[in-house]
């Protein structure tokens, strides 16, 4: 056994470097950090409405948040301190088109993003831009939001404007980030705005229109901008890893696969495989419709042959937001709407797993490596596009100015190391790792009670000062070393060593639960 590799917390730790040119990033989302909710002519978003209706923790709002709208230089200063070469942020659609439509274009909104992009480039930090991270203009929601087919044309116009305005400097675009959360929590369970509780029709319709919107945005870029700007357009999909509750039971293995098909495959299969929903999803919904004569559990819209052709292959990379895993077993879901009911599975957590401030995020680092391998096999064996890890992090509970976030460091270290194993040992093409997030922000229903940031933000102070946590210092060291090796230039020998370790690592991860 190579002494350069340590067995930490029951799994093998790989003390090696990432490939040369690997991209290290951190991120933010417009509604969580910008504030300036009505400044510069910005329109109201569904998250503004949610906060003003008193639906977030302690009636908190995102009106000021981190005040990033007025603190571009401050934020980029923090990024320079981390030594990252990439910053992923999202644009607020309502800051560009206040009503969501082209005719309402704001003069001042785009200037904010111009300044942010230019300041990043001056600091040798590559801007990665997400067009949509959940903050739909409220005016569009008044007409049904993502359930109204007209939203596709509106998104296409918005994407076209952004490519034309910022694409000379922005070379990597995510059309959507975690669209599953929009469908699930926005239109299924109603926990997020717009608060629609309709897992029978609305949730599936929202997904249908988001996939079509993504494809149209990709085609706009491909047809009008790619040749001149030379950038890439992908989508950032979120997914847990699903581990069979009992790996010796074929029915649990099948149930774990259904969990992944109902979460990741719902979006990834149309875009990366054949322009259509996974056969597992379609079959289960059809079976339930036939079995449930008294109540319809799910209505899956159908893509036309032309739409399937238009959707398939519309991504230059697969972005992955990943935070946790679940143990999944087969169950009888009956006629209950929602993924578990329609998919006939139940998910569980192992009592030994480390918990976090979020009741759904448990630290299970080996799940990331398994998911990366699954994605590589399931979606990228033909298209061969790379994977960008576009979001990974855990929240801590806010209990005063605690800067010593040791749990966050352990989580980060473990997950980054599992990505390293996927690259060096398994040969998965991962090109970027994004730690979520640059600073604490407004976390939706949780308000400011949960903190994902590498920097602590004092929301009690109108100046919203930021202070680096221990995790910021740790991450900056990982970035400087390009991983966990002692020198940046150790790629060649690291690759050979890790090939030697492949058997041990695979054995270690398969026994890690």
């Amino acid at each position: 056994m190579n002494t350069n590799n340590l067995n930490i917390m029951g799994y093998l730790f790989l003390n090696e470097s990432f490939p040369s040119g690997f991209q290290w990033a951190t991120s933010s989302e417009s509604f969580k950090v910008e504030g300036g909710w009505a400044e510069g002519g910005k329109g109201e978003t569904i998250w503004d409405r949610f906060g003003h209706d008193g639906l977030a923790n302690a009636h908190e709002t995102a009106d000021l948040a981190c005040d990033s709208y007025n603190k571009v230089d401050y934020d980029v200063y923090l990024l320079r301190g981390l030594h990252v070469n990439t910053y992923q942020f999202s644009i607020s659609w309502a800051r560009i088109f206040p009503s969501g439509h082209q005719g309402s274009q704001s003069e001042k909104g785009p200037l904010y993003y111009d300044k942010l992009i230019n300041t990043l480039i001056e600091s040798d930090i590559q801007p990665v831009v997400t067009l949509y991270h959940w903050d739909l203009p409220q005016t569009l929601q008044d007409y049904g939001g993502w359930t109204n087919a007209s939203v596709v044309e509106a998104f296409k116009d918005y994407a076209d404007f952004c490519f034309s305005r910022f694409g000379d400097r922005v070379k990597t675009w995510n059309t959507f980030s975690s669209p599953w959360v929009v469908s699930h929590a926005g239109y299924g369970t109603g926990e997020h705005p717009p608060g629609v509780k309709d897992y029978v029709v609305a949730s599936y319709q929202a997904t249908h229109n988001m996939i079509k919107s993504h494809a149209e945005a990709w085609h706009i870029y491909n047809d009008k901008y790619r040749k001149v700007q030379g950038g890439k357009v992908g989508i950032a999909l979120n997914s847990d890893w699903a581990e069979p509750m009992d790996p010796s039971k074929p029915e649990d293995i099948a149930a774990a696969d259904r969990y992944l098909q109902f979460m990741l495959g719902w979006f990834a299969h149309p875009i990366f495989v054949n322009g259509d929903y996974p056969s597992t999803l379609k079959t289960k919904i059809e079976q339930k419709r036939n079995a449930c004569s008294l109540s319809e559990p799910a209505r899956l819209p159908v893509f036309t042959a032309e739409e399937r052709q238009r959707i398939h292959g519309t991504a230059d990379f697969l972005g992955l937001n990943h935070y946790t895993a679940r143990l999944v077993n087969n169950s009888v879901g009956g006629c209950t709407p929602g993924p578990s009911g329609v998919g006939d599975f139940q998910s569980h957590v192992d009592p030994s797993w480390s918990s976090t401030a979020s009741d759904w995020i448990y630290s299970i680092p080996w799940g990331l490596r398994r998911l990366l391998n699954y994605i590589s096999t399931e979606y990228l064996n033909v298209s061969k596009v790379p994977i960008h890890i576009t979001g990974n992090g855990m929240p801590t509970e806010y209990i005063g100015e605690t800067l010593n976030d040791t749990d966050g460091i352990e989580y980060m270290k473990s997950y980054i190391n599992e990505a390293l194993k996927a690259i060096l040992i398994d040969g998965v093409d991962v090109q970027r790792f994004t730690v979520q997030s640059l600073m604490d922000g407004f976390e939706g229903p949780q308000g400011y009670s949960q903190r994902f940031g590498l920097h602590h933000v004092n929301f009690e102070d109108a100046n919203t000062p930021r202070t680096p946590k221990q995790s910021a210092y740790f991450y900056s060291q990982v970035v400087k070393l390009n991983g966990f090796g002692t020198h940046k230039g150790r790629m060649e020998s690291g690759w050979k060593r890790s090939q030697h370790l492949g058997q041990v690592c695979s054995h270690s991860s398969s026994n890690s639960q």
Side-chain angles (χ1 to χ4, degrees), residues 8-40:
I8 293 178
M9 290 180 65
Y11 64 89
L12 196 73
F13 190 87
L14 205 56
N15 255 329
E16 303 294 349
S17 302
F18 279 76
S20 175
F22 190 80
Q23 293 180 315
W24 296 101
T26 187
S27 64
S28 70
E29 293 80 35
S30 47
F31 78 91
K32 295 186 179 185
V33 302
E34 282 181 9
W37 82 276
E39 286 186 55

Side-chain angles (χ1 to χ4, degrees), residues 27-29 32-34 65-68 78 394-398 400-403 405 436-443 447-448 450-459 464-467 469 471:
S27 64
S28 70
E29 293 80 35
K32 295 186 179 185
V33 302
E34 282 181 9
C66 307
D67 197 23
S68 284
L78 300 180
M394 62 157 270
T396 53
E397 195 176 353
Y398 179 59
E401 294 194 20
T402 308
L403 302 176
D405 52 345
Q436 182 176 323
S437 50
L438 174 61
M439 57 197 151
D440 297 335
F442 177 78
E443 292 297 333
Y448 301 101
Q450 290 184 5
R451 307 296 182 99
F452 274 90
L454 293 166
H455 295 85
H456 170 270
V457 180
N458 182 354
F459 296 105
T464 60
R466 292 93 153 110
T467 312
K469 301 178 189 176
S471 55

Side-chain angles (χ1 to χ4, degrees), residues 324-360:
T324 196
R326 289 291 183 269
L327 299 175
V328 179
N329 69 312
N330 184 59
S331 71
V332 179
C335 297
T336 311
S340 298
V342 177
D344 287 330
F345 58 76
Q346 279 188 318
S347 65
H348 312 267
V349 297
D350 188 310
S352 70
W353 290 349
S354 300
S355 60
T356 70
S358 164
D359 57 10
W360 69 274

Side-chain angles (χ1 to χ4, degrees), residues 88-104:
Q88 176 181 285
F89 64 92
S90 70
I91 289 177
S92 174
W93 188 346
R95 212 177 274 294
I96 303 292
F97 298 164
S99 76
H101 291 290
Q102 202 168 9
S104 67

Side-chain angles (χ1 to χ4, degrees), residues 452-512:
F452 274 90
L454 293 166
H455 295 85
H456 170 270
V457 180
N458 182 354
F459 296 105
E460 307 296 312
D461 184 331
N463 293 316
T464 60
R466 292 93 153 110
T467 312
K469 301 178 189 176
Q470 288 302 315
S471 55
Y473 294 107
F474 174 79
Y475 187 45
S476 72
Q477 284 303 307
V478 173
V479 173
K480 277 205 279 193
L481 287 173
N482 195 35
F484 305 99
T486 48
H487 301 290
K488 286 184 185 178
R490 298 180 55 219
M491 194 54 235
E492 185 95 21
S493 58
W495 169 251
K496 286 175 184 162
R497 273 202 299 276
S498 50
Q499 278 184 313
H500 163 71
L501 286 160
Q503 296 296 324
V504 188
C505 258
S506 300
H507 180 72
S508 166
S509 73
S510 66
N511 290 300
S512 54

Side-chain angles (χ1 to χ4, degrees), residues 61-342:
T61 74
D63 290 1
L64 180 64
C66 307
D67 197 23
S68 284
Y69 181 70
N70 295 303
K71 289 184 160 41
V72 167
D73 293 329
Y74 196 172
D75 290 352
V76 177
Y77 163 77
L78 300 180
L79 289 162
R80 287 201 302 271
L82 292 173
H83 305 289
V84 292
N85 47 29
T86 308
Y87 180 50
Q88 176 181 285
F89 64 92
S90 70
I91 289 177
S92 174
W93 188 346
R95 212 177 274 294
I96 303 292
F97 298 164
S99 76
H101 291 290
Q102 202 168 9
S104 67
Q105 188 194 321
S106 157
E107 291 299 313
K108 290 184 178 174
L111 293 173
Y112 163 66
Y113 298 110
D114 277 331
K115 182 178 180 186
L116 176 54
I117 291 163
N118 292 343
T119 309
L120 288 167
I121 289 169
E122 285 161 16
S123 295
D124 290 324
I125 299 168
Q126 177 192 341
V128 169
V129 173
T130 299
L131 291 173
Y132 186 77
H133 193 107
W134 310 355
D135 50 351
L136 192 72
Q138 181 62 43
T139 309
L140 291 178
Q141 185 53 48
D142 293 343
Y143 292 95
W146 290 108
T147 63
N148 186 329
S150 69
V151 77
V152 178
E153 199 63 30
F155 185 78
K156 185 176 162 184
D157 290 342
Y158 162 59
D160 195 351
F161 175 86
C162 290
F163 295 148
S164 119
R165 174 74 177 235
F166 310 118
D168 57 331
R169 292 151 290 157
V170 174
K171 301 303 171 191
T172 310
W173 300 88
N174 301 309
T175 52
F176 289 82
S177 184
S178 296
W180 179 87
V181 177
V182 177
S183 304
H184 170 75
Y187 293 88
T189 65
E191 297 162 81
H192 282 193
V196 176
K197 298 177 183 177
D198 179 9
Y199 232 126
V200 178
V201 177
S203 184
Y204 294 99
Q205 192 61 55
T207 293
H208 205 66
N209 288 328
M210 281 190 282
I211 290 170
K212 290 203 282 189
S213 297
H214 158 81
E216 289 308 314
W218 187 89
H219 282 291
I220 280 278
Y221 191 84
N222 203 47
D223 297 345
K224 285 178 69 174
Y225 300 102
R226 189 184 296 274
K227 195 176 280 186
V228 177
Q229 296 180 358
K232 289 181 164 51
V233 178
I235 186 166
L237 302 175
N238 66 295
S239 185
D240 307 335
W241 170 245
E243 184 74 11
M245 188 91 168
D246 183 344
S248 69
K249 286 186 177 175
E251 61 268 34
D252 282 5
I253 293 170
D257 183 69
R258 290 197 300 276
Y259 183 105
L260 291 169
Q261 297 296 350
F262 271 75
M263 191 176 205
L264 180 60
W266 196 10
F267 292 86
H269 200 275
I271 295 165
F272 294 95
V273 180
N274 68 355
D276 200 4
Y277 296 116
S279 56
T280 305
L281 187 76
K282 294 199 293 183
T283 303
K284 281 309 268 184
I285 289 175
E286 193 56 34
Q287 285 172 350
K288 292 287 178 172
R289 284 167 67 88
N290 292 334
C292 301
S293 54
L294 299 177
S295 63
E296 184 181 28
R299 189 184 307 166
L300 188 68
V302 177
F303 291 119
T304 65
E306 187 184 358
E307 285 169 343
R308 290 199 299 272
Q309 195 176 355
R310 188 106 176 126
I311 291 162
H312 178 223
T314 54
D316 304 317
F317 58 86
L318 188 153
L320 174 66
N321 297 333
H322 172 76
Y323 308 92
T324 196
R326 289 291 183 269
L327 299 175
V328 179
N329 69 312
N330 184 59
S331 71
V332 179
C335 297
T336 311
S340 298
V342 177

